[in-house]
Amino acid sequence: MKCTGNYKRRAAAAVLFFVMLLTGCGGRAYELEQAYDVYGMRLHFQDAKTAADPSNDNLYFAKSLCVGGEDGTGAPLPEYSKKAAGAGVFYLTDGDIPYSQNIYKKLYPASTTKILTAYIALKYGNLTDTVTVSEKAASQSADSSVCGLLTGDTLTLEELLYGLLLKSGNDAAEAIAEHISGSMEEFAALMNEEAMSLGATHSHFVNAHGLHDKEHYTCVYDLYLLFQSALKYDAFQKIIHTPKYTVTYINGWGNQVSQEWESTDLFLTGGAKAPKGVTVLGGKTGTTKKAGYCLALYSKNAKKEPVITIVMKADSSESLYGYMGKLLGM
């Protein structure tokens, strides 16, 4: 699936028609309705100069994105796709989507939610910010994924991001949400605003960690949009590329404590092997009963091209990594 070529051709034709309509209209602002609409992403022309200049970066919302109105592209992989609900391969260099399976289907993201949480933390916070863990943040359910943080522990935002993305700590997610927005509820509202601004119009979030809620959902394509946005931050790339991280911080009693957090991504820790020539640079896992096994991965293919690959709702860890391994080899 070629992502941007048809988009630009249609947009260019719309621009030509639009500019013709501008004769004698002065410097007013215009919006060409339905010029090209992929799940709510429309072209907005600010003035005649912008509309007439195809090189203007503001002209195409999706100029640097993979955009596709089709689904089910690529050679079928029934031995894998029957064991997962959705998957996609997104080439970041040329905008191709060579493989897709239900990329617009509503699915539960589990802890891949934390990609958006990290993006917002990096956008609105500072890595050196000092964060004190609240009682609410420390009081996560016993069976959930946590970093082992306690009330009163003091860490930097950067350290919490390691806990969020490597250990997949729900306590770290709550602490980050409270630090950025004051409460989980306000942070969730910000998540939805940011997701919409990034084009993720088939998503809705109610928390920063991804614990199941029927109103907390996304799709493969939206998760790609969120992931590629987070990858623009060097700190994000550095963290997800780290197999293990030792953190030392001050607890609520004023004592220094240390922990070692290991990535849940088996490609990084040696539990899974990428195809020959592929370099896995990091990613984010997610698992709940309703979401199944999920993984969003960033890698370089054999041609050293950056690629995002995503599998959602696999029926087991074995199916997840088997499917992902096949996608990495494309």
Side-chain angles (χ1 to χ4, degrees):
M1 184 191 302
K2 192 68 178 178
C3 305
T4 57
N6 290 337
Y7 179 88
K8 291 183 178 179
R9 283 193 291 272
R10 296 184 193 184
V15 168
L16 178 60
F17 175 72
F18 176 72
V19 173
M20 291 170 64
L21 294 178
L22 292 176
T23 304
C25 293
R28 296 162 52 195
Y30 296 87
E31 178 180 331
L32 183 61
E33 293 292 340
Q34 302 292 341
Y36 183 54
D37 190 345
V38 177
Y39 295 103
M41 293 185 286
R42 299 180 182 178
L43 292 176
H44 294 274
F45 303 119
Q46 295 178 348
D47 52 38
K49 181 178 179 181
T50 299
D53 181 7
S55 67
N56 191 297
D57 287 340
N58 295 322
L59 183 57
Y60 305 112
F61 174 85
K63 183 175 182 180
S64 61
L65 299 177
C66 297
V67 177
E70 303 173 25
D71 203 353
T73 57
L77 299 171
E79 68 273 33
Y80 297 103
S81 59
K82 289 181 179 179
K83 298 180 179 181
V89 177
F90 305 88
Y91 285 3
L92 303 188
T93 299
D94 59 14
D96 279 345
I97 306 177
Y99 181 84
S100 64
Q101 175 200 348
N102 297 328
I103 61 174
Y104 305 114
K105 181 179 180 178
K106 174 183 171 180
L107 295 169
Y108 299 119
S111 284
T112 60
T113 297
K114 291 163 182 163
I115 292 171
L116 178 56
T117 300
Y119 169 79
I120 293 174
L122 290 166
K123 182 175 181 178
Y124 292 101
N126 296 302
L127 293 176
T128 56
D129 287 351
T130 299
V131 183
T132 300
V133 178
S134 70
E135 182 177 358
K136 184 177 180 182
S139 301
Q140 302 297 313
S141 58
D143 60 344
S144 70
S145 178
V146 295
C147 294
L149 303 177
L150 301 175
T151 305
D153 288 350
T154 302
L155 302 88
T156 65
L157 181 59
E158 181 178 24
E159 290 167 340
L160 284 173
L161 284 169
Y162 274 97
L164 178 82
L165 295 170
L166 268 64
K167 185 66 174 176
S168 198
N170 295 341
D171 43 3
E174 183 106 28
I176 290 171
E178 292 175 353
H179 174 68
I180 297 296
S181 298
S183 70
M184 181 68 83
E185 293 73 21
E186 289 298 316
F187 189 79
L190 181 58
M191 293 174 77
N192 289 315
E193 291 175 10
E194 290 294 325
M196 184 65 69
S197 73
L198 296 173
T201 59
H202 276 41
S203 299
H204 186 262
F205 302 95
V206 300
N207 60 59
H209 40 60
L211 284 179
H212 180 71
D213 187 293
K214 65 180 181 179
E215 297 301 322
H216 188 98
Y217 54 84
T218 189
C219 64
V220 170
Y221 182 74
D222 281 10
L223 187 55
Y224 146 72
L225 291 174
L226 303 178
F227 196 15
Q228 67 87 31
S229 296
L231 286 168
K232 294 177 182 178
Y233 289 94
D234 291 340
F236 181 83
Q237 291 196 36
K238 177 183 176 183
I239 292 170
I240 64 171
H241 188 57
T242 304
K244 291 182 180 181
Y245 180 75
T246 299
V247 60
T248 301
Y249 57 93
I250 303 300
N251 65 17
W253 292 275
N255 300 319
Q256 183 172 287
V257 295
S258 295
Q259 290 198 59
E260 184 178 75
W261 294 328
E262 185 175 49
S263 174
T264 58
D265 177 1
L266 296 185
F267 284 111
L268 281 186
T269 59
K273 188 175 181 180
K276 185 178 180 180
V278 174
T279 302
V280 173
L281 300 174
K284 186 70 196 77
T285 62
T287 308
T288 66
K289 184 176 181 180
K290 294 287 187 179
Y293 293 79
C294 306
L295 176 59
L297 209 62
Y298 176 54
S299 64
K300 292 287 183 69
N301 63 17
K303 297 179 180 179
K304 306 304 179 184
E305 299 167 328
V307 183
I308 287 177
T309 46
I310 296 171
V311 175
M312 296 188 73
K313 202 176 183 180
D315 60 11
S316 67
S317 178
E318 182 180 10
S319 296
L320 175 69
Y321 283 95
Y323 199 176
M324 184 62 76
K326 189 69 174 180
L327 298 181
L328 288 173
M330 288 186 171

Short mmCIF file of all heavy atoms in Angstrom, two decimals, residues 172-198:
data_model
loop_
_atom_site.label_atom_id
_atom_site.label_comp_id
_atom_site.label_asym_id
_atom_site.label_seq_id
_atom_site.Cartn_x
_atom_site.Cartn_y
_atom_site.Cartn_z
N ALA A 172 4.18 3.76 38.02
CA ALA A 172 4.91 4.83 37.34
C ALA A 172 3.97 5.63 36.45
O ALA A 172 4.07 6.86 36.36
CB ALA A 172 6.05 4.24 36.51
N ALA A 173 3.05 4.94 35.76
CA ALA A 173 2.10 5.62 34.89
C ALA A 173 1.22 6.58 35.67
O ALA A 173 0.98 7.73 35.25
CB ALA A 173 1.23 4.59 34.16
N GLU A 174 0.73 6.13 36.82
CA GLU A 174 -0.13 6.98 37.65
C GLU A 174 0.66 8.18 38.18
O GLU A 174 0.15 9.31 38.20
CB GLU A 174 -0.71 6.18 38.81
CG GLU A 174 -1.68 6.94 39.69
CD GLU A 174 -3.12 6.54 39.46
OE1 GLU A 174 -3.39 5.40 39.07
OE2 GLU A 174 -4.00 7.40 39.69
N ALA A 175 1.88 7.95 38.61
CA ALA A 175 2.71 9.04 39.13
C ALA A 175 2.98 10.07 38.04
O ALA A 175 2.94 11.29 38.30
CB ALA A 175 4.03 8.48 39.67
N ILE A 176 3.25 9.62 36.83
CA ILE A 176 3.48 10.54 35.71
C ILE A 176 2.22 11.33 35.40
O ILE A 176 2.26 12.55 35.18
CB ILE A 176 3.95 9.75 34.47
CG1 ILE A 176 5.37 9.23 34.69
CG2 ILE A 176 3.89 10.62 33.21
CD1 ILE A 176 5.84 8.26 33.62
N ALA A 177 1.08 10.66 35.37
CA ALA A 177 -0.19 11.33 35.07
C ALA A 177 -0.48 12.43 36.09
O ALA A 177 -0.88 13.54 35.73
CB ALA A 177 -1.32 10.30 35.06
N GLU A 178 -0.27 12.11 37.35
CA GLU A 178 -0.53 13.11 38.40
C GLU A 178 0.46 14.26 38.31
O GLU A 178 0.10 15.42 38.55
CB GLU A 178 -0.45 12.43 39.77
CG GLU A 178 -1.58 11.44 40.02
CD GLU A 178 -1.43 10.68 41.32
OE1 GLU A 178 -0.37 10.82 41.99
OE2 GLU A 178 -2.36 9.94 41.69
N HIS A 179 1.69 13.97 37.96
CA HIS A 179 2.70 15.03 37.84
C HIS A 179 2.38 15.98 36.69
O HIS A 179 2.50 17.21 36.84
CB HIS A 179 4.08 14.42 37.62
CG HIS A 179 5.15 15.42 37.34
ND1 HIS A 179 5.59 16.33 38.29
CD2 HIS A 179 5.86 15.69 36.20
CE1 HIS A 179 6.53 17.10 37.75
NE2 HIS A 179 6.71 16.74 36.49
N ILE A 180 1.96 15.44 35.56
CA ILE A 180 1.70 16.26 34.38
C ILE A 180 0.38 17.01 34.49
O ILE A 180 0.30 18.20 34.16
CB ILE A 180 1.72 15.40 33.10
CG1 ILE A 180 3.11 14.78 32.88
CG2 ILE A 180 1.30 16.23 31.89
CD1 ILE A 180 4.21 15.77 32.63
N SER A 181 -0.67 16.33 34.96
CA SER A 181 -2.02 16.91 34.90
C SER A 181 -2.71 17.08 36.24
O SER A 181 -3.79 17.66 36.30
CB SER A 181 -2.90 16.05 33.99
OG SER A 181 -2.41 16.03 32.68
N GLY A 182 -2.15 16.55 37.31
CA GLY A 182 -2.77 16.69 38.62
C GLY A 182 -3.62 15.51 39.02
O GLY A 182 -3.78 15.23 40.22
N SER A 183 -4.17 14.79 38.06
CA SER A 183 -4.99 13.62 38.34
C SER A 183 -5.03 12.72 37.11
O SER A 183 -4.76 13.16 35.98
CB SER A 183 -6.42 14.02 38.72
OG SER A 183 -7.11 14.55 37.59
N MET A 184 -5.41 11.47 37.32
CA MET A 184 -5.54 10.55 36.20
C MET A 184 -6.65 11.00 35.25
O MET A 184 -6.52 10.88 34.02
CB MET A 184 -5.84 9.13 36.72
CG MET A 184 -5.96 8.10 35.61
SD MET A 184 -4.38 7.77 34.77
CE MET A 184 -3.67 6.57 35.91
N GLU A 185 -7.73 11.53 35.81
CA GLU A 185 -8.85 11.96 34.98
C GLU A 185 -8.45 13.10 34.04
O GLU A 185 -8.77 13.09 32.85
CB GLU A 185 -10.02 12.39 35.86
CG GLU A 185 -10.67 11.28 36.66
CD GLU A 185 -9.82 10.78 37.83
OE1 GLU A 185 -8.92 11.56 38.28
OE2 GLU A 185 -10.04 9.66 38.30
N GLU A 186 -7.72 14.07 34.56
CA GLU A 186 -7.28 15.19 33.73
C GLU A 186 -6.25 14.74 32.71
O GLU A 186 -6.21 15.22 31.57
CB GLU A 186 -6.70 16.31 34.62
CG GLU A 186 -7.74 17.06 35.44
CD GLU A 186 -8.75 17.76 34.55
OE1 GLU A 186 -8.34 18.38 33.55
OE2 GLU A 186 -9.97 17.68 34.85
N PHE A 187 -5.40 13.81 33.10
CA PHE A 187 -4.40 13.30 32.17
C PHE A 187 -5.07 12.53 31.03
O PHE A 187 -4.66 12.65 29.87
CB PHE A 187 -3.41 12.39 32.90
CG PHE A 187 -2.22 11.98 32.06
CD1 PHE A 187 -1.15 12.85 31.87
CD2 PHE A 187 -2.17 10.73 31.46
CE1 PHE A 187 -0.06 12.48 31.10
CE2 PHE A 187 -1.08 10.35 30.69
CZ PHE A 187 -0.02 11.23 30.50
N ALA A 188 -6.10 11.75 31.35
CA ALA A 188 -6.82 11.02 30.31
C ALA A 188 -7.46 11.97 29.31
O ALA A 188 -7.47 11.70 28.09
CB ALA A 188 -7.88 10.12 30.94
N ALA A 189 -7.97 13.09 29.80
CA ALA A 189 -8.53 14.10 28.90
C ALA A 189 -7.45 14.64 27.97
O ALA A 189 -7.69 14.83 26.77
CB ALA A 189 -9.17 15.23 29.71
N LEU A 190 -6.25 14.86 28.52
CA LEU A 190 -5.13 15.33 27.70
C LEU A 190 -4.71 14.26 26.70
O LEU A 190 -4.37 14.57 25.55
CB LEU A 190 -3.96 15.70 28.61
CG LEU A 190 -2.69 16.24 27.92
CD1 LEU A 190 -3.01 17.48 27.08
CD2 LEU A 190 -1.62 16.56 28.97
N MET A 191 -4.75 13.01 27.10
CA MET A 191 -4.42 11.91 26.19
C MET A 191 -5.33 11.93 24.96
O MET A 191 -4.89 11.78 23.83
CB MET A 191 -4.56 10.56 26.91
CG MET A 191 -3.54 10.30 28.01
SD MET A 191 -3.87 8.76 28.92
CE MET A 191 -3.27 7.53 27.74
N ASN A 192 -6.61 12.13 25.20
CA ASN A 192 -7.56 12.14 24.09
C ASN A 192 -7.36 13.35 23.19
O ASN A 192 -7.48 13.26 21.96
CB ASN A 192 -8.99 12.08 24.63
CG ASN A 192 -9.32 10.73 25.22
OD1 ASN A 192 -9.02 9.69 24.63
ND2 ASN A 192 -9.92 10.73 26.40
N GLU A 193 -7.02 14.48 23.78
CA GLU A 193 -6.73 15.68 22.98
C GLU A 193 -5.50 15.46 22.11
O GLU A 193 -5.50 15.78 20.91
CB GLU A 193 -6.51 16.89 23.90
CG GLU A 193 -7.75 17.37 24.62
CD GLU A 193 -7.43 18.49 25.59
OE1 GLU A 193 -6.29 19.00 25.55
OE2 GLU A 193 -8.31 18.85 26.39
N GLU A 194 -4.45 14.92 22.70
CA GLU A 194 -3.22 14.69 21.97
C GLU A 194 -3.40 13.63 20.89
O GLU A 194 -2.89 13.77 19.78
CB GLU A 194 -2.09 14.29 22.92
CG GLU A 194 -1.61 15.40 23.84
CD GLU A 194 -0.94 16.53 23.07
OE1 GLU A 194 -0.26 16.25 22.06
OE2 GLU A 194 -1.10 17.68 23.48
N ALA A 195 -4.11 12.56 21.22
CA ALA A 195 -4.35 11.50 20.24
C ALA A 195 -5.10 12.06 19.03
O ALA A 195 -4.75 11.77 17.88
CB ALA A 195 -5.14 10.36 20.88
N MET A 196 -6.12 12.88 19.29
CA MET A 196 -6.88 13.47 18.19
C MET A 196 -6.00 14.37 17.34
O MET A 196 -6.07 14.36 16.11
CB MET A 196 -8.06 14.25 18.76
CG MET A 196 -8.98 14.85 17.70
SD MET A 196 -9.85 13.58 16.72
CE MET A 196 -10.96 12.90 17.97
N SER A 197 -5.13 15.14 17.99
CA SER A 197 -4.27 16.06 17.24
C SER A 197 -3.26 15.32 16.38
O SER A 197 -2.77 15.86 15.39
CB SER A 197 -3.53 17.00 18.21
OG SER A 197 -2.50 16.31 18.91
N LEU A 198 -2.95 14.07 16.74
CA LEU A 198 -2.01 13.25 15.98
C LEU A 198 -2.72 12.42 14.91
O LEU A 198 -2.07 11.65 14.20
CB LEU A 198 -1.22 12.34 16.92
CG LEU A 198 -0.31 13.06 17.92
CD1 LEU A 198 0.28 12.07 18.92
CD2 LEU A 198 0.79 13.82 17.20
#
